Amino acid sequence: SYVLLAAYGEGAGDVEKQPVMRGPQWSCARLLEQPTCLYCKISGLEDVGELPEDFQILATTGGLRSFLTIPVATDHEVLGALTIAKE
């Protein structure tokens, strides 16, 4: 499970409606499968299904198209993640 601690900007209110995220379809779960970061970009809403569910919310309600998630970690474990998104 992953918990959203804060959101700001376009689509933030909509993604905050699901603060607890469980399962492999969320960006934090996909981040753990990557070596360093998670980067996703879509051209338009026809590609939104390729995104993690939280990014889908931000794309459809906030008009965001490019997403970068980086881990906040120690040498031994991931403590959280920071996502930056833009139109």
Side-chain angles (χ1 to χ4, degrees):
S1 294
Y2 311 96
V3 178
L4 175 68
L5 296 180
Y8 176 80
E10 297 295 325
D14 294 299
V15 80
E16 287 174 334
K17 292 176 184 173
Q18 295 184 320
V20 178
M21 303 171 192
R22 290 184 180 94
Q25 67 274 21
W26 298 97
S27 62
C28 286
R30 290 197 191 175
L31 172 64
L32 296 176
E33 298 171 357
Q34 307 301 315
T36 57
C37 69
L38 174 65
Y39 175 71
C40 301
K41 183 177 180 180
I42 59 170
S43 301
L45 288 178
E46 63 276 358
D47 301 322
V48 77
E50 300 172 14
L51 297 172
E53 284 192 27
D54 44 334
F55 293 177
Q56 289 179 25
I57 295 167
L58 294 170
T60 56
T61 64
L64 302 172
R65 300 289 179 264
S66 180
F67 306 87
L68 175 65
T69 300
I70 56 171
V72 176
T74 68
D75 289 339
H76 307 290
E77 66 182 329
V78 175
L79 303 172
L82 172 67
T83 298
I84 301 168
K86 68 177 189 169
E87 295 177 339

Short mmCIF file of all heavy atoms in Angstrom, two decimals, residues 36-72:
data_model
loop_
_atom_site.label_atom_id
_atom_site.label_comp_id
_atom_site.label_asym_id
_atom_site.label_seq_id
_atom_site.Cartn_x
_atom_site.Cartn_y
_atom_site.Cartn_z
N THR A 36 15.99 3.48 -11.44
CA THR A 36 16.25 4.78 -10.80
C THR A 36 15.03 5.69 -10.66
O THR A 36 14.89 6.38 -9.67
CB THR A 36 17.33 5.58 -11.56
OG1 THR A 36 16.91 5.74 -12.92
CG2 THR A 36 18.67 4.88 -11.52
N CYS A 37 14.18 5.73 -11.66
CA CYS A 37 13.02 6.62 -11.64
C CYS A 37 11.94 6.07 -12.56
O CYS A 37 12.18 5.11 -13.29
CB CYS A 37 13.40 8.04 -12.06
SG CYS A 37 13.85 8.18 -13.81
N LEU A 38 10.77 6.69 -12.51
CA LEU A 38 9.67 6.32 -13.39
C LEU A 38 9.32 7.55 -14.22
O LEU A 38 8.97 8.59 -13.66
CB LEU A 38 8.45 5.86 -12.58
CG LEU A 38 7.18 5.57 -13.38
CD1 LEU A 38 7.38 4.37 -14.31
CD2 LEU A 38 6.01 5.33 -12.44
N TYR A 39 9.43 7.43 -15.54
CA TYR A 39 9.09 8.53 -16.43
C TYR A 39 8.02 8.04 -17.41
O TYR A 39 8.18 6.99 -18.03
CB TYR A 39 10.32 9.00 -17.21
CG TYR A 39 9.98 10.06 -18.25
CD1 TYR A 39 9.63 11.34 -17.85
CD2 TYR A 39 10.01 9.77 -19.60
CE1 TYR A 39 9.30 12.31 -18.79
CE2 TYR A 39 9.69 10.73 -20.54
CZ TYR A 39 9.34 12.00 -20.13
OH TYR A 39 9.02 12.95 -21.06
N CYS A 40 6.93 8.79 -17.48
CA CYS A 40 5.84 8.47 -18.40
C CYS A 40 5.43 9.74 -19.14
O CYS A 40 5.37 10.81 -18.55
CB CYS A 40 4.62 7.95 -17.64
SG CYS A 40 4.89 6.47 -16.67
N LYS A 41 5.12 9.58 -20.41
CA LYS A 41 4.67 10.72 -21.21
C LYS A 41 3.65 10.21 -22.22
O LYS A 41 3.84 9.15 -22.82
CB LYS A 41 5.85 11.36 -21.95
CG LYS A 41 5.47 12.57 -22.75
CD LYS A 41 6.69 13.20 -23.40
CE LYS A 41 6.27 14.42 -24.19
NZ LYS A 41 7.43 15.07 -24.83
N ILE A 42 2.57 10.97 -22.38
CA ILE A 42 1.57 10.62 -23.39
C ILE A 42 1.37 11.82 -24.31
O ILE A 42 1.60 12.97 -23.94
CB ILE A 42 0.23 10.21 -22.75
CG1 ILE A 42 -0.36 11.31 -21.88
CG2 ILE A 42 0.39 8.91 -21.98
CD1 ILE A 42 -1.78 11.06 -21.41
N SER A 43 0.95 11.53 -25.54
CA SER A 43 0.68 12.59 -26.52
C SER A 43 -0.69 13.20 -26.31
O SER A 43 -0.90 14.38 -26.50
CB SER A 43 0.78 12.04 -27.94
OG SER A 43 2.06 11.51 -28.17
N GLY A 44 -1.66 12.35 -25.96
CA GLY A 44 -3.03 12.81 -25.77
C GLY A 44 -3.81 11.81 -24.95
O GLY A 44 -3.30 10.76 -24.54
N LEU A 45 -5.08 12.12 -24.71
CA LEU A 45 -5.91 11.27 -23.87
C LEU A 45 -6.13 9.88 -24.44
O LEU A 45 -6.45 8.96 -23.70
CB LEU A 45 -7.26 11.95 -23.61
CG LEU A 45 -7.20 13.15 -22.66
CD1 LEU A 45 -8.57 13.78 -22.50
CD2 LEU A 45 -6.64 12.75 -21.31
N GLU A 46 -5.92 9.69 -25.74
CA GLU A 46 -6.07 8.35 -26.31
C GLU A 46 -5.02 7.38 -25.75
O GLU A 46 -5.20 6.17 -25.81
CB GLU A 46 -6.01 8.40 -27.83
CG GLU A 46 -4.69 8.87 -28.41
CD GLU A 46 -4.53 10.39 -28.50
OE1 GLU A 46 -5.47 11.13 -28.15
OE2 GLU A 46 -3.45 10.82 -28.93
N ASP A 47 -3.94 7.90 -25.18
CA ASP A 47 -2.87 7.07 -24.62
C ASP A 47 -2.96 6.93 -23.10
O ASP A 47 -2.09 6.33 -22.48
CB ASP A 47 -1.51 7.67 -24.97
CG ASP A 47 -1.29 7.79 -26.46
OD1 ASP A 47 -1.72 6.88 -27.20
OD2 ASP A 47 -0.69 8.79 -26.90
N VAL A 48 -3.99 7.50 -22.48
CA VAL A 48 -4.06 7.56 -21.02
C VAL A 48 -4.06 6.17 -20.37
O VAL A 48 -3.56 6.00 -19.25
CB VAL A 48 -5.27 8.41 -20.55
CG1 VAL A 48 -6.57 7.65 -20.69
CG2 VAL A 48 -5.08 8.89 -19.14
N GLY A 49 -4.56 5.16 -21.04
CA GLY A 49 -4.59 3.80 -20.49
C GLY A 49 -3.23 3.20 -20.24
O GLY A 49 -3.11 2.22 -19.50
N GLU A 50 -2.19 3.76 -20.84
CA GLU A 50 -0.83 3.27 -20.63
C GLU A 50 -0.23 3.74 -19.31
O GLU A 50 0.79 3.23 -18.87
CB GLU A 50 0.07 3.76 -21.77
CG GLU A 50 -0.37 3.29 -23.15
CD GLU A 50 0.42 3.93 -24.26
OE1 GLU A 50 1.48 4.54 -23.99
OE2 GLU A 50 -0.02 3.84 -25.41
N LEU A 51 -0.86 4.72 -18.67
CA LEU A 51 -0.33 5.32 -17.46
C LEU A 51 -0.76 4.58 -16.20
O LEU A 51 -1.80 3.93 -16.19
CB LEU A 51 -0.83 6.77 -17.34
CG LEU A 51 -0.41 7.74 -18.42
CD1 LEU A 51 -1.15 9.06 -18.23
CD2 LEU A 51 1.10 7.96 -18.40
N PRO A 52 0.01 4.71 -15.10
CA PRO A 52 -0.47 4.23 -13.82
C PRO A 52 -1.77 4.97 -13.46
O PRO A 52 -2.01 6.08 -13.94
CB PRO A 52 0.65 4.62 -12.84
CG PRO A 52 1.87 4.79 -13.70
CD PRO A 52 1.37 5.26 -15.02
N GLU A 53 -2.59 4.38 -12.60
CA GLU A 53 -3.91 4.93 -12.32
C GLU A 53 -3.87 6.36 -11.77
O GLU A 53 -4.69 7.19 -12.14
CB GLU A 53 -4.68 4.03 -11.37
CG GLU A 53 -5.21 2.80 -12.08
CD GLU A 53 -6.20 2.02 -11.25
OE1 GLU A 53 -6.88 2.61 -10.38
OE2 GLU A 53 -6.30 0.81 -11.46
N ASP A 54 -2.92 6.66 -10.88
CA ASP A 54 -2.86 8.02 -10.35
C ASP A 54 -2.49 9.03 -11.44
O ASP A 54 -3.01 10.14 -11.48
CB ASP A 54 -1.93 8.12 -9.15
CG ASP A 54 -0.60 7.40 -9.31
OD1 ASP A 54 -0.51 6.43 -10.08
OD2 ASP A 54 0.36 7.79 -8.63
N PHE A 55 -1.64 8.63 -12.38
CA PHE A 55 -1.30 9.51 -13.49
C PHE A 55 -2.48 9.66 -14.44
O PHE A 55 -2.67 10.72 -15.05
CB PHE A 55 -0.09 8.98 -14.25
CG PHE A 55 1.21 9.00 -13.48
CD1 PHE A 55 2.36 8.49 -14.05
CD2 PHE A 55 1.29 9.51 -12.19
CE1 PHE A 55 3.57 8.51 -13.38
CE2 PHE A 55 2.49 9.53 -11.50
CZ PHE A 55 3.64 9.02 -12.10
N GLN A 56 -3.28 8.60 -14.58
CA GLN A 56 -4.48 8.70 -15.41
C GLN A 56 -5.43 9.77 -14.87
O GLN A 56 -5.99 10.55 -15.63
CB GLN A 56 -5.22 7.35 -15.47
CG GLN A 56 -4.51 6.30 -16.27
CD GLN A 56 -5.26 4.98 -16.29
OE1 GLN A 56 -6.48 4.94 -16.11
NE2 GLN A 56 -4.53 3.89 -16.50
N ILE A 57 -5.58 9.81 -13.55
CA ILE A 57 -6.43 10.83 -12.93
C ILE A 57 -5.89 12.22 -13.23
O ILE A 57 -6.62 13.13 -13.62
CB ILE A 57 -6.53 10.59 -11.41
CG1 ILE A 57 -7.25 9.27 -11.11
CG2 ILE A 57 -7.23 11.77 -10.72
CD1 ILE A 57 -7.13 8.81 -9.67
N LEU A 58 -4.60 12.39 -13.07
CA LEU A 58 -3.98 13.70 -13.32
C LEU A 58 -4.06 14.10 -14.79
O LEU A 58 -4.21 15.27 -15.12
CB LEU A 58 -2.53 13.70 -12.84
CG LEU A 58 -2.34 13.56 -11.33
CD1 LEU A 58 -0.88 13.32 -11.01
CD2 LEU A 58 -2.87 14.78 -10.61
N ALA A 59 -3.97 13.12 -15.68
CA ALA A 59 -4.05 13.41 -17.11
C ALA A 59 -5.46 13.81 -17.52
O ALA A 59 -5.65 14.78 -18.27
CB ALA A 59 -3.58 12.20 -17.92
N THR A 60 -6.46 13.09 -17.03
CA THR A 60 -7.83 13.36 -17.46
C THR A 60 -8.44 14.57 -16.78
O THR A 60 -9.21 15.30 -17.40
CB THR A 60 -8.74 12.13 -17.25
OG1 THR A 60 -8.69 11.73 -15.89
CG2 THR A 60 -8.31 10.97 -18.13
N THR A 61 -8.13 14.80 -15.52
CA THR A 61 -8.73 15.94 -14.82
C THR A 61 -7.85 17.18 -14.79
O THR A 61 -8.36 18.28 -14.70
CB THR A 61 -9.12 15.57 -13.38
OG1 THR A 61 -7.95 15.26 -12.63
CG2 THR A 61 -10.09 14.41 -13.36
N GLY A 62 -6.54 16.98 -14.86
CA GLY A 62 -5.62 18.11 -14.77
C GLY A 62 -4.95 18.49 -16.06
O GLY A 62 -4.22 19.48 -16.12
N GLY A 63 -5.15 17.68 -17.11
CA GLY A 63 -4.53 17.99 -18.40
C GLY A 63 -3.03 17.77 -18.42
O GLY A 63 -2.34 18.30 -19.30
N LEU A 64 -2.50 16.98 -17.50
CA LEU A 64 -1.06 16.74 -17.44
C LEU A 64 -0.68 15.60 -18.38
O LEU A 64 -1.44 14.64 -18.56
CB LEU A 64 -0.65 16.45 -16.01
CG LEU A 64 -1.01 17.57 -15.03
CD1 LEU A 64 -0.75 17.14 -13.59
CD2 LEU A 64 -0.26 18.84 -15.35
N ARG A 65 0.51 15.69 -18.98
CA ARG A 65 0.91 14.71 -20.00
C ARG A 65 2.27 14.08 -19.76
O ARG A 65 2.60 13.07 -20.34
CB ARG A 65 0.92 15.37 -21.39
CG ARG A 65 -0.42 15.95 -21.83
CD ARG A 65 -1.38 14.83 -22.15
NE ARG A 65 -2.67 15.33 -22.57
CZ ARG A 65 -3.74 15.47 -21.79
NH1 ARG A 65 -3.65 15.17 -20.52
NH2 ARG A 65 -4.89 15.92 -22.25
N SER A 66 3.08 14.67 -18.91
CA SER A 66 4.43 14.18 -18.67
C SER A 66 4.63 14.04 -17.16
O SER A 66 4.32 14.96 -16.39
CB SER A 66 5.44 15.18 -19.25
OG SER A 66 6.75 14.74 -19.04
N PHE A 67 5.16 12.88 -16.73
CA PHE A 67 5.27 12.55 -15.31
C PHE A 67 6.65 11.98 -15.00
O PHE A 67 7.14 11.13 -15.72
CB PHE A 67 4.22 11.50 -14.94
CG PHE A 67 2.82 11.89 -15.32
CD1 PHE A 67 2.33 11.61 -16.59
CD2 PHE A 67 2.00 12.54 -14.42
CE1 PHE A 67 1.04 11.97 -16.95
CE2 PHE A 67 0.71 12.91 -14.77
CZ PHE A 67 0.22 12.62 -16.04
N LEU A 68 7.23 12.44 -13.91
CA LEU A 68 8.51 11.91 -13.44
C LEU A 68 8.39 11.63 -11.94
O LEU A 68 8.05 12.53 -11.17
CB LEU A 68 9.65 12.90 -13.67
CG LEU A 68 11.01 12.51 -13.13
CD1 LEU A 68 11.54 11.26 -13.84
CD2 LEU A 68 12.00 13.66 -13.25
N THR A 69 8.64 10.39 -11.55
CA THR A 69 8.61 10.00 -10.14
C THR A 69 9.99 9.50 -9.75
O THR A 69 10.56 8.64 -10.42
CB THR A 69 7.56 8.89 -9.89
OG1 THR A 69 6.28 9.39 -10.27
CG2 THR A 69 7.52 8.48 -8.43
N ILE A 70 10.51 10.07 -8.67
CA ILE A 70 11.82 9.67 -8.17
C ILE A 70 11.67 9.17 -6.74
O ILE A 70 10.84 9.67 -5.99
CB ILE A 70 12.85 10.81 -8.25
CG1 ILE A 70 12.35 12.04 -7.50
CG2 ILE A 70 13.17 11.16 -9.69
CD1 ILE A 70 13.37 13.13 -7.35
N PRO A 71 12.45 8.18 -6.36
CA PRO A 71 12.35 7.67 -4.99
C PRO A 71 13.05 8.58 -3.99
O PRO A 71 14.05 9.23 -4.31
CB PRO A 71 13.05 6.31 -5.08
CG PRO A 71 14.01 6.46 -6.20
CD PRO A 71 13.38 7.42 -7.18
N VAL A 72 12.52 8.62 -2.79
CA VAL A 72 13.18 9.22 -1.64
C VAL A 72 13.62 8.03 -0.81
O VAL A 72 12.78 7.27 -0.31
CB VAL A 72 12.21 10.13 -0.86
CG1 VAL A 72 12.88 10.68 0.39
CG2 VAL A 72 11.68 11.25 -1.75
#
